Amino acid sequence: MKVSKICCVGAGFVGGPTMAVIALKCPEIEITVVDINNEKIKAWNGDLNDLPVYEPGLSDIIDKVRGVNLFFSNDVDKAIEESEMIFMAVNTPTKTSGEGKGYAADLTYIERSAKQIAKVSKSDKIIIEKSTLPVRTAEKIKQILDSNKSSNINFEVISNPEFLAEGTAIDDLFKSDRVLIGGDQTESGQRAVSLLFEIYTKWIPKEKIITTNVWSSELSKLVSNAMLAQRISSINSISALCEKTGADIEEVSKVTGMDSRIGKKFLKSSIGFGGSCFKKDILNLVYISRYYGLHEVADYWESVVKINSFQTERIGDEIINILEPQCSKSTVTILGWAFKKDTNDSRESASIYLAYRLLTNNINLHVYDPLVKESLIKKDLTDLFKNNKKDNHEIKILLSKVKVYNNPYDSVLNSNIISVCTEWEEFIHYDWKKIYTIMKAPKWLFDGRNLLNKVYLDSIGFKTFFIGKS
Ligand code: UGA
């Protein structure tokens, strides 16, 4: 069998960029990305400057391959039926109800896609798990496929988790550290693995493509994210200690990271990690560990998430302490809503949790982000209010305290405190002298990313708070 047609179910942050790069590197393969969300498909087929996902370099690739061998469509059945290989790149959020609520991954979209694939397929298919999934999900997918299929065809389920990080997705896809493919040890399992292997060899050196059994592949992805997040929580826990003792977190982080066994990456203290992956995947790991009765293991990993919430909360409390008892008459400007720079994604961003803490303490908010739109900012807050059981009336009052701006200088006008939450490069180049003059007392600047020049800001007259510095 030769792969000539690929379908990808899910046109999000993983499906879009990954398929764009495969299309670019494999011009002989026709790829169709499908999604049940018509608006998303319309946007992928629309203006290159307004694609649903922002990633540096992505629009150039889409410009080259769209309509050539990469297509975006909402005709899900047709694309499934025609393809030999189907990537599942749908989202797997944390469950909000039922068994495993708050921890386990919600596999509704995965199950729905599996049923649809089974229903419309008339020939053998290789199904690839691209979404991050709990260990042993492939087994469940295989069961759904086999019990819903109409003819006597074979489904081979393999795991190929994504290691790309948002904001650097295209670069990560071009120069992956490793590509992981997990498959069954059976003959047809190994054949499926080698077909996918062949696709990646078009641009990834063979020695970087690792093949394992399906379960190792699924678990390796969760563990990779948990290990990365654990490093940030470790250094963030130390940042609080630095503020009390006079040690400086940047120095501690530098010294620690110079031990080559530890290394310097993911030791940058911040207001807290965000994104759609770390929290979700760790909670998943916690859930699986508890399921197997490994409560100490579960507690250990859960503490990584707890330190992350603690980091955002304690910074929120510092702000509240300064403004009390004048909170309702005060304004804080949040600079940066995305969970990190160079992305328009705000899922699980620390800004949302900081904003929540400030708003529920009666503080007025101004928000500016170079890429995240007002509608998303309001939606993020509304979702969190609902999760915290606020009723519609309360939500309306809380949202009336939020103003979103398209211009940073407008956003800081008459503000009492600025809080930098995302490490956007442009913040460094602002006219901070001008900003100082248009703010209102006490003119504090909280740098939740240790991005700006403290000495310079102090010299202007700002009162400053930098993470892990006293
Ligand atoms: C993460 C992993 O890095 C990817 O390898 C993985 O494939 C991806 O999840 C996924 O599961 O799909 P991503 O969530 O895009 O990627 O972002 P990261 O660059 O890992 O950053 C996560 C958060 O940690 C951000 O809020 C970032 O600002 C923060 N961070 C990162 C720190 O606070 N300090 C650091 O030193 C590094």
Side-chain angles (χ1 to χ4, degrees), residues 14 55 132 161-168 172 178 221 224-225 228-229 232 235-236 264-278 281 308 338-341 345 348-350 421 423 449:
V14 171
E55 280 295 336
T132 303
E162 198 46 74
F163 291 111
L164 59 84
E166 287 177 35
T168 52
D172 294 344
R178 79 288 205 203
K221 172 56 198 271
S224 299
N225 274 355
L228 291 172
I232 304 171
I235 205 73
N236 280 346
K264 64 180 183 198
K265 288 183 181 163
F266 277 75
L267 282 177
K268 177 106 185 96
S269 189
S270 65
I271 188 164
F273 60 74
S276 65
C277 312
F278 282 175
D281 292 351
N308 198 46
F339 79 99
K340 63 176 181 179
K341 68 174 179 177
D345 191 353
E348 289 298 332
S349 176
C421 293
E423 72 280 30
R449 293 286 182 169

Side-chain angles (χ1 to χ4, degrees), residues 198-227:
E198 213 173 287
I199 290 177
Y200 281 113
T201 53
K202 297 275 160 57
W203 76 99
I204 305 282
K206 279 194 174 117
E207 60 279 9
K208 288 192 173 180
I209 310 177
I210 299 163
T211 57
T212 64
N213 77 33
V214 190
W215 323 126
S216 304
S217 172
E218 288 176 336
L219 188 58
S220 297
K221 172 56 198 271
L222 285 189
V223 173
S224 299
N225 274 355
M227 291 280 188

Side-chain angles (χ1 to χ4, degrees), residues 94-107 287 290-291:
T94 304
K95 275 179 98 168
T96 52
S97 60
E99 168 75 25
K101 176 183 169 192
Y103 288 90
D106 181 350
L107 301 180
Y287 181 69
R290 278 208 209 295
Y291 174 84

Side-chain angles (χ1 to χ4, degrees), residues 179-190:
V179 167
L180 177 58
I181 309 175
D184 268 356
Q185 300 309 309
T186 56
E187 204 187 307
S188 62
Q190 289 304 301

Side-chain angles (χ1 to χ4, degrees), residues 120-334:
V120 300
S121 295
K122 295 196 184 76
S123 54
D124 292 358
K125 310 274 180 216
I126 296 169
I127 315 295
I128 301 165
E129 297 177 340
K130 198 67 179 156
S131 317
T132 303
L133 296 167
V135 57
R136 295 204 81 88
T137 304
E139 198 172 32
K140 199 165 177 183
I141 296 178
K142 179 91 172 122
Q143 268 166 12
I144 297 175
L145 289 167
D146 286 341
S147 55
N148 288 279
K149 66 184 179 188
S150 49
S151 48
N152 190 24
I153 53 175
N154 182 47
F155 290 112
E156 205 51 60
V157 183
I158 62 177
S159 159
N160 172 226
E162 198 46 74
F163 291 111
L164 59 84
E166 287 177 35
T168 52
I170 300 300
D171 235 31
D172 294 344
L173 282 161
F174 280 147
K175 305 185 274 222
S176 309
D177 278 350
R178 79 288 205 203
V179 167
L180 177 58
I181 309 175
D184 268 356
Q185 300 309 309
T186 56
E187 204 187 307
S188 62
Q190 289 304 301
R191 198 174 327 116
V193 168
S194 64
L195 281 169
L196 187 58
F197 192 100
E198 213 173 287
I199 290 177
Y200 281 113
T201 53
K202 297 275 160 57
W203 76 99
I204 305 282
K206 279 194 174 117
E207 60 279 9
K208 288 192 173 180
I209 310 177
I210 299 163
T211 57
T212 64
N213 77 33
V214 190
W215 323 126
S216 304
S217 172
E218 288 176 336
L219 188 58
S220 297
K221 172 56 198 271
L222 285 189
V223 173
S224 299
N225 274 355
M227 291 280 188
L228 291 172
Q230 174 257 330
R231 290 166 63 92
I232 304 171
S233 275
S234 299
I235 205 73
N236 280 346
S237 72
I238 302 302
S239 75
L241 196 56
C242 286
E243 287 157 27
K244 298 273 185 237
T245 57
D248 181 317
I249 195 66
E250 302 285 322
E251 291 174 353
V252 174
S253 171
K254 187 173 170 194
V255 174
T256 311
M258 280 175 77
D259 183 330
S260 60
R261 293 161 303 175
I262 295 173
K264 64 180 183 198
K265 288 183 181 163
F266 277 75
L267 282 177
K268 177 106 185 96
S269 189
S270 65
I271 188 164
F273 60 74
S276 65
C277 312
F278 282 175
K279 185 173 167 193
K280 176 176 77 106
D281 292 351
I282 297 173
L283 293 176
N284 218 315
L285 202 57
V286 170
Y287 181 69
I288 298 167
S289 306
R290 278 208 209 295
Y291 174 84
Y292 286 107
L294 302 169
H295 298 290
E296 288 77 5
V297 177
D299 291 347
Y300 171 76
W301 285 108
E302 190 159 20
S303 69
V304 173
V305 175
K306 283 191 183 147
I307 289 289
N308 198 46
S309 307
F310 163 72
Q311 185 77 347
T312 314
E313 282 162 14
R314 75 181 186 87
I315 287 160
D317 290 346
E318 296 276 354
I319 294 177
I320 293 162
N321 281 342
I322 292 169
L323 296 177
E324 244 160 6
Q326 298 287 327
C327 285
S328 63
K329 295 199 185 96
S330 308
T331 301
V332 172
T333 299
I334 291 188

Side-chain angles (χ1 to χ4, degrees), residues 105-124:
D106 181 350
L107 301 180
T108 312
Y109 302 112
I110 285 282
E111 287 167 8
R112 200 181 291 166
S113 313
K115 276 189 191 143
Q116 192 164 9
I117 292 170
K119 204 174 75 201
V120 300
S121 295
K122 295 196 184 76
S123 54
D124 292 358

